[in-house]
Amino acid sequence: MSGRLNGKVTLITGAGSGIGKAITHLFAAEGSSIGLMDIDQSGFNLLTEDIKKIGVEFITVEGDVSNIADCKNAVETCAKTFGKIDILVNSAGVTPRNAPKEWGFEKTWDWVVDVNLKGTVMMSKFASEIMKRNRLGSIVNLSSILGIVGYSEDISSDGFSPYTHSKGGVVQFTRDMAVQFAKDNIRVNALCPGFTYTPQTKRLTDDDEMKKKLESLHPMGRLGKPDEIAKAALFLASDESSFVTGACLPVDGGYTAK
Ligand SMILES: NC(=O)c1ccc[n+]([C@@H]2O[C@H](COP(=O)([O-])OP(=O)(O)OC[C@H]3O[C@@H](n4cnc5c(N)ncnc54)[C@H](O)[C@@H]3O)[C@@H](O)[C@H]2O)c1
């Protein structure tokens, strides 16, 4: 099999759903061995069947990216199985929209920032230690358009959404890490997707009025598809972007160009 990621080993968090799942499919099809990490293993059933058909090696690891021991375990298990980690994709993420209502502001804020920002930082910390041994690595973080701009006034938000706080943190973490790790030949970039059809946005896109509103906020007049985000992740993860680091790439149908 010849592919753009032949011989590479990728560890992907949030691999069982949405964008992480699309990235897992594409990277496997491009020849990478894959470590799939998710807090919820239910999404792995059909996905691992597909990967078996593609024929690349893979492992699954259950873990919570907001738990430092789970992050360490996922990285160590992947490195022990495959002997290295070339690529880390931090796709695990949550939104306050999907938090239990009874949690209230503080618990919801902690949850979102812990998963989206602390999780990205912890996974990158442990994976970069492995990458440094080979002086080779590419980290792709999932930020968001909402890591670059505030919520549109057309979408209800009170200015205290931990989603924007966490995704803005991911942008700045990406830039800082890119500068610090360039000497180790580890590139660090982020994707900033617009609203994309996944389980994370299902409650919004199932509502026809909200869906139309969201579409109108993207100059291309539609929302993104997970495989469109995966293709951009492939560029940033692969050697094709060998002179790109610290970039935060909008994949958003023009949302942030307005
Ligand atoms: N869908 C969008 O519109 C959109 C837009 C911009 C950015 N993003 C970001 O892209 C990433 C993927 O989002 P998605 O839409 O595919 O979401 P999704 O809900 O479909 O998938 C997220 C995955 O992360 C896993 N996960 C959640 N908490 C976890 C934890 N603590 N530890 C490990 N795994 C955990 C979930 O089980 C799920 O499999 C997220 O970081 C999200 O914020 C999504």
Side-chain angles (χ1 to χ4, degrees):
M1 184 172 45
S2 77
R4 290 152 75 185
L5 298 178
N6 269 358
K8 302 278 190 191
V9 173
T10 305
L11 175 56
I12 306 180
T13 72
S17 176
I19 292 169
K21 194 177 192 172
I23 293 173
T24 302
H25 261 128
L26 182 61
F27 282 27
E30 290 292 341
S32 180
S33 304
I34 312 266
L36 298 86
M37 182 200 187
D38 207 299
I39 197 169
D40 175 2
Q41 301 283 284
S42 63
F44 287 168
N45 297 337
L46 290 174
L47 183 59
T48 51
E49 287 308 308
D50 287 347
I51 301 175
K52 277 181 202 157
K53 283 182 203 146
I54 292 168
V56 297
E57 286 186 86
F58 70 92
I59 53 160
T60 61
V61 189
E62 188 172 352
D64 175 352
V65 295
S66 68
N67 179 305
I68 191 164
D70 285 4
C71 294
K72 197 164 192 281
N73 176 55
V75 167
E76 282 176 358
T77 305
C78 191
K80 205 168 158 193
T81 306
F82 299 116
K84 61 174 184 170
I85 297 173
D86 301 299
I87 299 164
L88 170 68
V89 179
N90 285 305
S91 191
V94 291
T95 157
R97 204 170 41 244
N98 298 335
K101 285 282 165 281
E102 65 275 15
W103 276 7
F105 176 73
E106 186 181 4
K107 192 169 176 186
T108 302
W109 196 94
D110 285 347
W111 176 59
V112 174
V113 174
D114 276 358
V115 175
N116 294 2
L117 180 56
K118 181 181 158 192
T120 298
V121 172
M122 290 304 154
M123 288 300 297
S124 303
K125 177 174 161 46
F126 294 121
S128 62
E129 285 166 13
I130 305 290
M131 291 169 174
K132 272 185 193 174
R133 288 187 207 152
N134 295 331
R135 287 194 43 74
L136 184 70
S138 177
I139 297 177
V140 180
N141 296 323
L142 265 296
S143 178
S144 165
I145 48 172
L146 296 169
I148 305 175
V149 297
Y151 263 104
S152 162
E153 352 178 280
D154 301 325
I155 312 169
S156 62
S157 171
D158 57 6
F160 287 94
S161 172
Y163 193 77
T164 59
H165 310 164
S166 64
K167 295 300 185 181
V170 169
V171 164
Q172 187 56 7
F173 171 65
T174 298
R175 292 182 175 138
D176 191 35
M177 205 185 174
V179 171
Q180 303 299 332
F181 283 71
K183 64 180 181 314
D184 300 304
N185 202 28
I186 298 171
R187 298 184 299 107
V188 190
N189 293 290
L191 290 172
C192 298
F195 284 87
T196 304
Y197 291 103
T198 70
Q200 188 181 89
T201 53
K202 194 171 179 324
R203 274 176 48 200
L204 299 174
T205 54
D206 279 353
D207 174 340
D208 273 350
E209 202 182 317
M210 177 54 86
K211 187 177 151 214
K212 280 199 189 93
K213 197 179 273 182
L214 292 174
E215 285 170 345
S216 72
L217 294 171
H218 298 70
M220 287 181 74
R222 66 171 178 87
L223 309 189
K225 292 177 277 183
D227 68 299
E228 294 178 303
I229 314 302
K231 284 174 191 162
L234 176 60
F235 169 69
L236 290 180
S238 75
D239 297 340
E240 289 162 28
S241 59
S242 52
F243 199 47
V244 182
T245 196
C248 297
L249 178 68
V251 186
D252 66 356
Y255 188 109
T256 54
K258 286 177 294 175

